Amino acid sequence: MKEFIEKFADILECDPAELTGATKFRELDDWDSIAGLSVIGMVDEEYGVTFGADDMKACQTIEDLYKRMESKK
């Protein structure tokens, strides 16, 4: 989870210490559709998991994203 948060923070260009699993990513100032596509790409590249828009819509927090990705491995 820590590594996932660090990669997520890289996408948003923010300090990973500002994020936790409970962070509601859509409420972050730098969150937009480009960030969403970047997360989908990161999950595919770094973890080898196909993640789509429906997966993103089903998640509210960073932990939700992580758990959904893990469930697809």
Side-chain angles (χ1 to χ4, degrees), residues 19-34:
L19 305 175
T20 68
T23 300
K24 293 182 178 182
F25 59 90
R26 287 187 183 86
E27 295 176 6
L28 297 170
D29 290 339
D30 293 329
W31 183 258
D32 59 16
S33 59
I34 300 299

Side-chain angles (χ1 to χ4, degrees), residues 25-26 31 40 51-69 71-72:
F25 59 90
R26 287 187 183 86
W31 183 258
I40 289 170
F51 214 65
D54 289 338
D55 294 304
M56 294 296 291
K57 288 178 188 174
C59 298
Q60 298 297 315
T61 66
I62 295 174
E63 184 175 8
D64 292 342
L65 291 171
Y66 180 77
K67 286 181 176 178
R68 190 159 185 112
M69 177 197 70
S71 73
K72 296 180 130 221

Side-chain angles (χ1 to χ4, degrees), residues 42-59:
M42 178 268 292
V43 169
D44 184 38
E45 268 186 44
E46 300 290 329
Y47 299 96
V49 174
T50 301
F51 214 65
D54 289 338
D55 294 304
M56 294 296 291
K57 288 178 188 174
C59 298

